[in-house]
Amino acid sequence: MNMNFSDITAATPTPETLAAAYGAINARLDAGDIPGAVADWEQLRRETETWSSLTHLRFEQDTKDEAAKAARDYMDELNPTVTSHLVAFKRRLLNHPDRGAVQAVTGAHALRLWEMDVTTFDPIIEADLIEEAKLDSRYTALMASAKIEIDGETVNLSGLAPFTQSMDRDTRHRAEQAKWAFFAEHAEEFDEIYDSLVKLRDGMAKKLGFPSYTELAYRRMRRVDYDAADVARYRAQVLEHVTPLVAKLMEARRVANGWDKLYFWDESLTDPQGNPKPAGGHDFLVEQAQKMFDGMNAELAAFFRTMNENGFLDLKNRPTKAPGGFCTSFPTAGMPFIFANFNGTHHDIDVFTHEMGHAFQNYQSRDQPGFDYLWPTMESAEIHSMSLESLAYPHIHLLVGEAVADRYRRMHLTESLAFLPYGVLVDHFQHEVYANPGATPAERKAMWRRLERMYEPWCDYGDLAHPAKGGYWQAQMHIYGSPFYYIDYTLALCCALQFWVKSRADYDGALRDYVALCARGGEAPFQALVKSAGLISPFADGALADAVRQAESVLSLQ
Ligand code: ZN
């Protein structure tokens, strides 16, 4: 494991090299050599993925670098060609006369995933896909255009975050007023973009033969072992068990702060003494994170050391770096990479507790035989990241300091619980939206407000007119750009909370199960992975019961 990040290279594919590579792979398959053809195809996919991860990363690391930008644009242009080759070859394997021999090489799960993939793409929707991407970037550009004046400063929407979390109630209120004034000012454009997206997606689904976009979206997300009815049952569990718990937490916060009413702008101040922050900057945190992993598990510790020493971390904020944080990977090297922008808030800690979970899983499953098994589907991938956040609790004083460690754990647990009703609300709303694609923008806002009252009955927008009329969801990027994705976070969180419960009784046992789950990568569908880690499927009754009971006692709500 001596590979350095700077050693990783990848050739740039062209339409000609791709055509030649697929020509050779197809010829091998025609000659009856299934294992050889699949192995060559696997290698090609790994090389293409390493190239695309590197190209994406270099652009994010310096958005002003002209060469990196040009490479990124070229990749976006080549993408439809890559997809159509991929889909065509998956179709060939699925339709192979000796399906048993194909399955012996690829595994049954890969075939199920490809069966989903091939039904979601057809050249008849290519122009619609391009239009969908354009509408999504219009939304992103509109969001990025926000210039909000507050306390003599001009900030964008993410720059507003510290104001909305301020200790001063009036500052939080003014920050929310300024934010929602921006949405009210552009209300028509936010409505129009979404209305176009809904109709476009509904149209694509119908061209592909689905009754509505919901069925197509589930297939795009590769959900092979659950359906919309399972998800509806899960939402009902959150409504029954978690909504009342969060209502109690909000009421306790109101009383603790001596407010006569809890308003929307009070919801982001989780800790009345101010949300805990990391105890130091970049170098301090990297050093302390190593100590934390040393205390958790030998494999995690060794892996983090390699990431750090061999250049697979880029965590400091720089002026030309793209915002946000993510984990990506280079399958030809078997190593992941973590990108972040430290800003001194508790989000810096997420790099070590969340992104490291993704990275560790990817590394643990690097020797999985199939490309499709290197990462699992998203609801499973977020189990690895979210579970590590709570498995880090006993060591978190190393990052935040002894004095606030307990307050950090309370804040994290409270925010996790409060996320569940919101997450299922986002999901429920989208099911209604795509079941009624002809609804007007005003009808959609009424749908949201009705569901919001159901899942978050404490939510009081006071004088914030835009969200009070049902427009809150327009600030939730996933609803525009990643439809139906949001439930994945809540399904994973249900599993992460179960790991938390387990770790309170048997910390080493919980970590062992966690490490074993990471090594399985994406070799099985969601519910099979969950079961193998000794967890209850979120779709089964009682999946949230223990976590809710223990949270009530830890947070002294009983
Ligand atoms: Zn994640």
Side-chain angles (χ1 to χ4, degrees):
M1 205 162 60
N2 293 317
M3 167 82 69
N4 249 290
F5 172 62
S6 54
D7 298 334
I8 298 176
T9 54
T12 302
T14 66
E16 294 74 31
T17 61
L18 285 171
Y22 272 98
I25 292 165
N26 275 304
R28 222 167 160 175
L29 190 63
D30 289 336
D33 181 6
I34 299 172
V38 170
D40 287 352
W41 181 52
E42 283 285 341
Q43 184 57 25
L44 176 65
R45 291 178 79 188
R46 282 171 201 250
E47 285 165 9
T48 311
E49 178 76 5
T50 294
W51 164 73
S52 106
S53 298
L54 268 180
T55 307
H56 179 251
L57 178 63
R58 283 187 183 132
F59 172 69
E60 300 274 319
Q61 285 182 309
D62 186 358
T63 55
K64 293 276 183 272
D65 179 336
E66 289 300 327
K69 169 89 171 73
R72 168 79 206 258
D73 290 345
Y74 171 76
M75 180 175 79
D76 289 345
E77 267 168 51
L78 191 67
N79 213 13
T81 311
V82 174
T83 307
S84 71
H85 279 299
L86 262 181
V87 169
F89 194 70
K90 286 175 185 173
R91 280 212 175 99
R92 279 212 70 188
L93 291 176
L94 290 169
N95 297 330
H96 196 279
D98 193 351
R99 169 97 172 209
V102 173
Q103 185 173 317
V105 173
T106 66
H109 181 50
L111 292 180
R112 282 214 279 172
L113 293 172
W114 303 340
E115 267 161 4
M116 293 262 149
D117 296 345
V118 300
T119 58
T120 65
F121 177 81
D122 187 286
I124 54 168
I125 62 160
E126 218 172 282
D128 295 335
L129 289 171
I130 294 168
E131 179 62 19
E132 186 185 22
K134 277 190 188 150
L135 285 164
D136 182 41
S137 50
R138 251 183 80 196
Y139 172 77
T140 310
L142 179 57
M143 292 286 278
S145 75
K147 286 190 180 59
I148 294 163
E149 306 284 335
I150 184 153
D151 292 351
E153 278 185 62
T154 307
V155 293
N156 59 17
L157 286 170
S158 28
L160 198 60
F163 295 93
T164 63
Q165 289 185 32
S166 165
M167 287 280 286
D168 177 51
R169 197 181 195 197
D170 179 56
T171 303
R172 294 198 301 275
H173 184 199
R174 283 185 296 107
E176 295 293 348
Q177 281 177 320
K179 171 177 172 176
W180 295 107
F182 167 77
F183 282 88
E185 194 187 323
H186 299 277
E188 252 175 66
E189 199 176 354
F190 279 112
D191 281 344
E192 188 233 300
I193 294 172
Y194 193 59
D195 195 57
S196 306
L197 277 169
V198 170
K199 294 195 161 90
L200 186 72
R201 287 174 179 149
D202 183 62
M204 278 194 270
K206 284 171 181 160
K207 284 181 197 170
L208 293 171
F210 297 108
S212 81
Y213 178 67
T214 307
E215 289 79 9
L216 172 56
Y218 272 61
R219 284 168 173 259
R220 277 183 171 182
M221 301 294 296
R222 300 177 127 189
R223 293 175 180 167
V224 299
D225 68 341
Y226 61 96
D227 60 20
D230 294 313
V231 172
R233 265 204 321 281
Y234 175 65
R235 291 196 304 260
Q237 283 205 64
V238 172
L239 182 61
E240 187 186 338
H241 300 290
V242 185
T243 290
L245 172 67
V246 179
K248 274 195 227 173
L249 280 166
M250 294 295 175
E251 174 58 12
R253 190 179 307 175
R254 184 191 69 76
V255 171
N257 286 284
W259 297 323
D260 58 339
K261 238 177 166 186
L262 180 121
Y263 285 107
F264 175 71
W265 48 89
D266 299 321
E267 289 184 27
S268 48
L269 188 71
T270 310
D271 185 321
Q273 300 174 62
N275 297 344
K277 294 186 177 79
H282 175 276
D283 296 356
F284 169 84
L285 284 177
V286 170
E287 203 183 306
Q288 293 298 98
Q290 184 64 59
K291 286 186 200 154
M292 175 173 89
F293 292 123
D294 288 346
M296 284 174 86
N297 172 279
E299 283 168 281
L300 263 167
F303 170 64
F304 183 71
R305 192 174 301 281
T306 306
M307 290 283 283
N308 184 27
E309 290 175 356
N310 295 9
F312 290 91
L313 302 173
D314 178 3
L315 312 178
K316 284 182 186 163
N317 196 350
R318 290 190 302 272
T320 60
K321 225 170 141 176
F326 58 84
C327 169
T328 187
S329 76
F330 313 105
T332 52
M335 279 300 286
F337 189 101
I338 297 177
F339 173 99
N341 282 281
F342 278 180
N343 63 6
T345 71
H346 67 85
H347 294 299
D348 295 356
I349 293 167
D350 300 347
V351 164
F352 305 107
T353 60
H354 183 102
E355 300 304 338
M356 255 295 282
H358 288 305
F360 182 63
Q361 173 266 305
N362 184 258
Y363 177 71
Q364 287 294 100
S365 49
R366 68 195 177 282
D367 294 326
Q368 283 283 348
F371 179 86
D372 291 277
Y373 300 164
L374 298 178
W375 292 107
T377 41
M378 293 315 301
E379 75 297 86
S380 307
E382 295 299 343
I383 302 177
H384 309 121
S385 53
M386 289 175 145
S387 301
L388 195 59
E389 291 180 38
S390 44
L391 290 169
Y393 282 177
H395 305 275
I396 207 69
H397 59 278
L398 292 166
L399 304 184
V400 297
E402 202 71 63
V404 296
D406 202 46
R407 278 172 47 209
Y408 175 89
R409 287 188 281 267
R410 289 179 71 92
M411 171 183 73
H412 189 274
L413 181 60
T414 302
E415 290 186 349
S416 299
L417 293 164
F419 177 73
L420 286 170
Y422 176 70
V424 300
L425 159 64
V426 168
D427 180 68
H428 197 155
F429 173 65
Q430 296 182 85
H431 280 84
E432 291 208 357
V433 163
Y434 291 101
N436 303 284
T440 63
E443 285 166 342
R444 281 189 202 110
K445 287 189 180 128
M447 276 177 204
W448 173 270
R449 197 67 190 106
R450 175 171 48 78
L451 294 170
E452 193 173 47
R453 286 200 175 95
M454 182 166 108
Y455 288 106
E456 302 183 324
W458 55 84
C459 186
D460 186 336
Y461 288 111
D463 61 359
L464 305 173
H466 191 78
K469 281 190 289 193
Y472 181 86
W473 56 273
Q474 296 185 320
Q476 184 61 59
M477 304 193 22
H478 298 72
I479 293 179
Y480 284 78
S482 310
F484 288 95
Y485 183 132
Y486 222 64
I487 197 72
D488 292 36
Y489 294 119
T490 74
L491 295 172
L493 183 52
C494 172
C495 299
L497 286 166
Q498 294 182 60
F499 263 122
W500 170 65
V501 168
K502 235 183 191 187
S503 72
R504 285 167 52 82
D506 173 11
Y507 187 74
D508 293 338
L511 260 172
R512 264 197 311 277
D513 289 349
Y514 171 78
V515 171
L517 177 68
C518 288
R520 296 200 67 193
E523 68 177 18
F526 175 56
Q527 295 197 74
L529 289 173
V530 166
K531 198 173 164 202
S532 74
L535 309 174
I536 305 172
S537 162
F539 308 123
D541 273 350
L544 287 161
D546 274 355
V548 166
R549 237 189 330 270
Q550 296 220 17
E552 279 185 324
S553 111
V554 168
L555 298 169
S556 330
L557 293 168
Q558 274 170 337

